[in-house]
Amino acid sequence: MALFKSKNPALKAEIFTKAKTLNPAHIESVMTINGTVNKTALLGIIVLAAAMVTWNMYQENLDLGRIQPYILTGSLAAFGVAVIIIYKKTLAPYLAPIYCALQGLAIGGLSALMEERFPGIVIQAILLTFGILFSLLTIYKLGIIKATENFKLVIASATSGIALYYIISVFGSFFGFNLPFIHDNSISGILFSLFVVIIAALNLVVDFDFIEKGAELKAPKYMEWYAAFGLMVTLIWLYLEILRLLGKSKSRD
């Protein structure tokens, strides 16, 4: 979430300008929307395939200890790879699949744990994630919602605030105190999670605009991988927040 004018540093318009500056000569192969969509689909398949590994591993014997290392190590390693991609964009074609595989391992294990506690929650979270993705894409293409500068500013500010709140919560847990709302299933906690889901979803609109502008600027071909990676960062965040929101709601039943 801290990786996320998207506030997702992987998806900022300035990046395309810099990439083009680094390649001012006649670029034979340039970024296209279709190319980015295809690469996003491929990265999504990698996430799913990796997730099935830890999902099946847990389903076989319901051994939490067996998958915990994958959840923790996968998340931390994925974060490290993401930082490298952000600061060395030309490596995106090689590292983006690795990032997605690591995230998949972590997500698969976490999803399995949530599914055991709340049967049916995973398919609900997946359907909601893709439903939001395609609904917002349709609304964006129809021009009903536009990523204006004011819109980007609001989403960037909200995303930064959420990221900071999460970071403080993580560090606070090491010192014995937890911030409210993130984990509790109170009405306030559920409303907080709903707010985070909305902000994560609206980041998709900013991401669509970013990708569209990249294609218009005829960025280098490797930027398709970079843009696809950035979109996957947002989608994974959205899925996890929906999973958290559903978990809180179901725990009150």
Side-chain angles (χ1 to χ4, degrees):
M1 279 50 104
L3 294 179
F4 311 124
K5 231 149 151 213
S6 159
K7 200 60 183 177
N8 180 343
L11 295 181
K12 292 200 279 190
E14 295 89 341
I15 290 173
F16 287 120
T17 304
K18 292 178 182 178
K20 198 172 182 181
T21 302
L22 292 173
N23 299 269
H26 300 66
I27 301 174
E28 297 181 359
S29 185
V30 298
M31 176 182 176
T32 65
I33 292 178
N34 285 340
T36 305
V37 169
N38 291 337
K39 290 173 176 60
T40 302
L42 176 59
L43 294 180
I45 291 172
I46 292 174
V47 171
L48 179 60
M52 291 305 298
V53 173
T54 44
W55 172 276
N56 290 331
M57 189 181 298
Y58 184 73
Q59 295 296 330
E60 287 174 1
N61 51 25
L62 303 180
D63 184 2
L64 174 60
R66 189 179 178 188
I67 64 169
Q68 266 186 329
Y70 290 94
I71 297 175
L72 180 60
T73 305
S75 298
L76 293 176
F79 177 79
V81 172
V83 171
I84 295 173
I85 295 173
I86 290 171
Y87 287 98
K88 191 66 174 177
K89 293 170 283 297
T90 54
L91 295 178
Y94 314 103
L95 295 185
I98 296 175
Y99 165 83
C100 288
L102 291 168
Q103 281 284 35
L105 290 174
I107 290 172
L110 180 61
S111 297
L113 294 178
M114 293 294 287
E115 182 69 17
E116 181 191 13
R117 186 177 178 187
F118 308 110
I121 191 173
V122 171
I123 189 62
Q124 291 174 7
I126 291 174
L127 290 176
L128 282 171
T129 301
F130 281 100
I132 290 172
L133 170 63
F134 290 117
S135 295
L136 284 177
L137 179 58
T138 300
I139 292 172
Y140 174 77
K141 297 302 290 184
L142 291 175
I144 298 174
I145 186 170
K146 296 181 179 180
T148 64
E149 290 306 311
N150 286 336
F151 179 89
K152 293 176 185 178
L153 179 61
V154 171
I155 299 305
S157 300
T159 305
S160 296
I162 292 168
L164 179 61
Y165 194 80
Y166 277 18
I167 291 171
I168 294 174
S169 177
V170 170
F171 279 102
S173 65
F174 291 111
F175 297 96
F177 73 88
N178 294 308
L179 293 179
F181 307 133
I182 296 180
H183 302 294
D184 66 81
N185 65 348
S186 64
I187 296 298
S188 297
I190 291 174
L191 290 176
F192 173 80
S193 287
L194 179 60
F195 170 73
V196 176
V197 167
I198 291 172
I199 295 302
L202 292 178
N203 266 274
L204 290 172
V205 176
V206 184
D207 296 348
F208 298 151
D209 179 73
F210 169 84
I211 293 169
E212 194 170 60
K213 282 182 169 55
E216 291 174 358
L217 290 172
K218 300 187 185 304
K221 194 70 173 177
Y222 71 83
M223 293 298 288
E224 291 180 350
W225 283 103
Y226 189 76
F229 152 74
L231 185 55
M232 288 306 302
V233 169
T234 304
L235 282 173
I236 289 171
W237 177 34
L238 177 60
Y239 168 76
L240 291 175
E241 292 300 341
I242 289 175
L243 199 63
R244 187 197 303 274
L245 174 60
L246 291 176
K248 288 182 178 181
S249 300
K250 290 178 179 294
S251 66
R252 291 175 59 88
D253 294 342

